[in-house]
Amino acid sequence: MRKLGHWGFAWLWFNWGIVRALGFVWLLIGAGSVSYTSLGRAQEPSKLAGRWQAGPLSEVWTMQAWGAACGPQPQGSSQAGGLVQVEEQGAELSITGIGRSFSTRQCWEQFPGLAPATHSAGDRSWKTVCRTSPTDPRQAKVTTSIQATDSTLTLNETGEYRFSINSQICTANVRRTRSYRLLEPKFKPEAAPIPDPVTEPSAPVPVEKRCTEVGAPARLEVRPERKLIRAGEHFRFSARVLDKNGCAVNVPIRWELGKAEGVHQGPPGTVHVDANAREQEVPLLVRAEQKSIQVFIEVASAERYEALLQQGTFNAQGESQKTAEATIPQGAIGAESSTSQEANDKKTRFAVIVGALALGLLALAAALLFLRKKGAPAPAPAPGPPRPQSLRPQITRKICPLCGTQYPAEAVFCGTDGASLVPLN
């Protein structure tokens, strides 16, 4: 091999320095990108941190092998929920409240000698498996899983327990469940900037279906049919009147709140529940065009509220899926005016008939008088006893038996509902 001179060693050393310098530059670039990524993630606002409402913790036991020597059987229970604070610590969550702190790195069960064995964290999901020591006579395995969305947390935990007493094997399984609902996020998202209407044209407004002709009211709808609500909250029902083609009809809608304690009616369709209101069911009557629908407000405690939500009767907002509907009879609009016009027509016909009869009687009387004058004078009738006056009271006013409206004595029918009038005195 040919020996390198001083210049050869200098050339190699120079090139090696260049390689090392380039590697150092690339290392700095990579570290900078990692630091930037970490900084960007650290500065991202947490989506799960905030104040949450924890529902009841349900615990159900199943005995696999449990003899008399095993002692009393574990019983299922339901622990009350309450307010908790959720914080994000890196890829994990910490939940504090209702008398204890809990992390997604742990199992909810705090069995003595139980320690985390494996743990995994994914996108909005966490799983921890806890076990007792192999030398512990009380063998236990607990698996805790937590799933999250932007507004809900769900905890599911299963446990297997096995131990021996007096040569008798005792085994049991348990399942624990709890749900959480976001009340107030810790970091609220920034409002989107309002576009400049001069430089940035707004998006086209979608064209809604419009009815060129609106018919008579045919249906009254109120949503929802039943609302689950907690003390201190308020809610507004929605109601509308439609014609047979589904077009909205502009008619007055009246709201009448039933008798309740701590529940008050605000603007049309709005109900307010006091913070100290007791559990109760309150009816709300909705009237439109001589038709009414009754919907209900169900005031429930926080624990019962969560339990009812889990039954599937209500949606996540505590509203029933069903809409209260009622069919409005045709001709309801203007019914009162048409009835009044019909009553007036009846009055006119009655007056014409009475006038014709009166004219006929007058003509008959005139004819009899004329014939009497032409004939012989009739003997005067013998004076008889004085004619007694009628004891029947004279009718001065009449009244409608249905609506109570008073009319003159000559009226026959009610102008409101067309019913026959009766004497007032």
Side-chain angles (χ1 to χ4, degrees):
M1 179 181 294
R2 190 176 65 177
K3 294 183 179 180
L4 296 174
H6 294 289
W7 289 108
F9 280 111
W11 182 82
L12 289 176
W13 179 256
F14 176 75
N15 284 276
W16 175 245
I18 292 176
V19 171
R20 289 197 305 170
L22 290 174
F24 183 70
V25 170
W26 281 112
L27 180 62
L28 289 179
I29 294 175
S33 63
V34 171
S35 300
Y36 177 78
T37 304
S38 302
L39 180 60
R41 291 179 180 176
Q43 290 180 349
E44 286 184 1
S46 170
K47 294 182 178 180
L48 298 178
R51 189 164 61 96
W52 293 67
Q53 173 69 42
L57 178 67
S58 175
E59 184 178 79
V60 180
W61 288 85
T62 304
M63 303 298 111
Q64 302 296 333
W66 202 271
C70 299
Q73 293 186 2
Q75 300 295 324
S77 63
S78 178
Q79 303 177 17
L83 297 178
V84 298
Q85 185 70 27
V86 176
E87 298 290 347
E88 283 189 336
Q89 299 176 346
E92 306 295 333
L93 299 181
S94 66
I95 305 175
T96 306
I98 326 178
R100 63 171 290 186
S101 297
F102 169 68
S103 172
T104 51
R105 286 185 173 274
Q106 302 172 317
C107 292
W108 178 267
E109 174 62 86
Q110 300 294 312
F111 188 82
L114 197 65
T118 61
H119 175 73
S120 62
D123 186 15
R124 301 294 183 93
S125 64
W126 298 264
K127 182 178 180 180
T128 305
V129 178
C130 300
R131 297 178 181 270
T132 53
S133 172
T135 59
D136 195 324
R138 302 164 302 173
Q139 288 298 300
K141 176 186 175 182
V142 176
T143 303
T144 305
S145 300
I146 297 178
Q147 303 290 331
T149 67
D150 287 342
S151 59
T152 61
L153 287 172
T154 305
L155 182 146
N156 285 285
E157 184 175 84
T158 58
E160 304 172 8
Y161 302 88
R162 179 185 177 92
F163 59 93
S164 176
I165 297 180
N166 297 333
S167 301
Q168 186 174 19
I169 302 300
C170 309
T171 59
N173 296 338
V174 67
R175 180 179 178 85
R176 301 180 181 91
T177 57
R178 166 171 274 173
S179 62
Y180 301 80
R181 181 172 56 88
L182 179 62
L183 297 179
E184 183 181 4
K186 186 176 181 179
F187 300 99
K188 297 182 179 180
E190 296 182 359
I194 301 176
D196 187 356
V198 177
T199 58
E200 299 181 14
S202 59
V205 179
V207 179
E208 298 180 356
K209 178 184 177 182
R210 298 182 180 274
C211 300
T212 56
E213 295 183 1
V214 179
R219 188 170 71 256
L220 171 62
E221 291 185 357
V222 183
R223 292 188 176 91
E225 185 182 45
R226 181 177 292 269
K227 176 66 174 74
L228 188 63
I229 193 169
R230 289 165 292 200
E233 296 181 343
H234 65 276
F235 181 75
R236 182 174 183 178
F237 289 83
S238 63
R240 59 178 184 170
V241 178
L242 306 175
D243 64 6
K244 64 179 181 179
N245 297 322
C247 300
V249 183
N250 186 18
V251 298
I253 298 177
R254 300 184 300 276
W255 305 79
E256 300 176 11
L257 184 66
K259 185 178 181 181
E261 297 181 8
V263 182
H264 312 281
Q265 185 173 351
T270 305
V271 292
H272 298 268
V273 182
D274 294 343
N276 57 350
R278 62 176 180 84
E279 291 191 330
Q280 56 187 304
E281 184 182 78
V282 183
L284 179 63
L285 192 65
V286 187
R287 298 180 182 272
E289 291 301 322
Q290 302 180 6
K291 201 67 179 179
S292 62
I293 293 180
Q294 195 172 48
V295 295
F296 295 92
I297 303 103
E298 187 169 351
V299 182
S301 61
E303 294 79 7
R304 185 164 168 267
Y305 185 95
E306 295 294 337
L308 290 174
L309 287 185
Q310 294 179 2
Q311 293 179 2
T313 307
F314 302 91
N315 60 15
Q317 289 73 38
E319 304 173 9
S320 64
Q321 304 293 339
K322 188 176 180 182
T323 300
E325 297 183 1
T327 302
I328 299 176
Q330 293 297 321
I333 275 188
E336 183 174 349
S337 59
S338 62
T339 304
S340 177
Q341 181 64 34
E342 182 180 357
N344 292 333
D345 294 341
K346 289 182 179 179
K347 288 182 181 180
T348 303
R349 289 195 298 268
F350 177 76
V352 171
I353 294 173
V354 172
L357 290 175
L359 289 176
L361 291 176
L362 289 175
L364 180 60
L368 291 176
L369 182 61
F370 176 77
L371 292 175
R372 178 176 297 181
K373 286 184 178 181
K374 290 184 63 176
R387 187 176 181 181
Q389 295 184 355
S390 176
L391 299 179
R392 187 175 181 180
Q394 186 178 2
I395 299 175
T396 59
R397 299 285 292 176
K398 290 185 179 180
I399 188 171
C400 176
L402 297 181
C403 64
T405 304
Q406 297 184 17
Y407 293 87
E410 63 272 11
V412 179
F413 299 98
C414 176
T416 301
D417 49 31
S420 299
L421 303 177
V422 297
L424 179 62
N425 50 355

